[in-house]
Amino acid sequence: MRYGEGDRLAPAEYRALREAAGWSQPDLDDGALAAALAATWNVTARSDEGGLVGMGRVQDDGLYASIWDMIVLPEHRGHGIGGEIFARMLAHCRGRSLVALVATPLGAPIYRAAGFSEESHGSIALFMRDVQ
């Protein structure tokens, strides 16, 4: 397995990874998706042949950071790939005042074990989807 930090992701491979994981597709054309992917710091796991096996994205402004899209292909789960991607993203986020993420039920126990919680110093996370 080869890990890349700051790696670029093509919209097609990102979409294929989301599909393989059973995630919905973003409602963006490939140009807009390419811009979104280029605006994040990405960690990838690739097979020796270069195929995308897993990835995670970090949005970071130097003060706060958020972790998005931690995905590993189902057939590669349980081998430490997600843990390695996550560790590299957390290392990138050192020194930030706050690091946030949104967890799937599958990922929540991993993130809680790393110290993430639903509440921080009395603040709670709130969400709104599909803002019109």
Side-chain angles (χ1 to χ4, degrees):
M1 198 62 51
R2 294 182 294 132
Y3 294 92
E5 296 183 13
D7 198 7
R8 292 290 177 210
L9 293 163
E13 65 182 350
Y14 175 74
R15 289 183 192 280
L17 190 63
R18 288 182 69 99
E19 183 176 333
W23 289 21
S24 64
Q25 293 296 329
D27 189 22
L28 298 173
D29 64 38
D30 280 353
L33 181 56
L37 295 171
T40 55
W41 187 83
N42 308 307
V43 177
T44 58
R46 296 182 181 276
S47 67
D48 291 336
E49 297 77 33
L52 189 63
V53 172
M55 54 84 57
R57 302 184 316 120
V58 176
Q59 290 183 316
D60 181 10
D61 66 9
L63 177 61
Y64 302 120
S66 57
I67 293 173
W68 295 97
D69 296 335
M70 271 285 309
I71 309 171
V72 175
L73 288 173
E75 63 269 23
H76 291 275
R77 292 179 185 157
H79 301 287
I81 296 168
E84 182 65 24
I85 292 169
F86 187 54
R88 289 170 186 245
M89 289 193 299
L90 285 179
H92 177 81
C93 294
R94 279 194 192 106
R96 303 307 179 265
S97 294
L98 180 75
V99 178
L101 59 77
V102 176
T104 63
L106 182 66
I110 297 163
Y111 305 133
R112 284 189 186 104
F116 284 82
S117 66
E118 288 82 1
E119 193 172 324
S120 175
H121 300 286
S123 296
I124 57 171
L126 301 173
F127 304 94
M128 180 188 297
R129 286 199 179 262
D130 300 322
V131 179
Q132 301 297 320

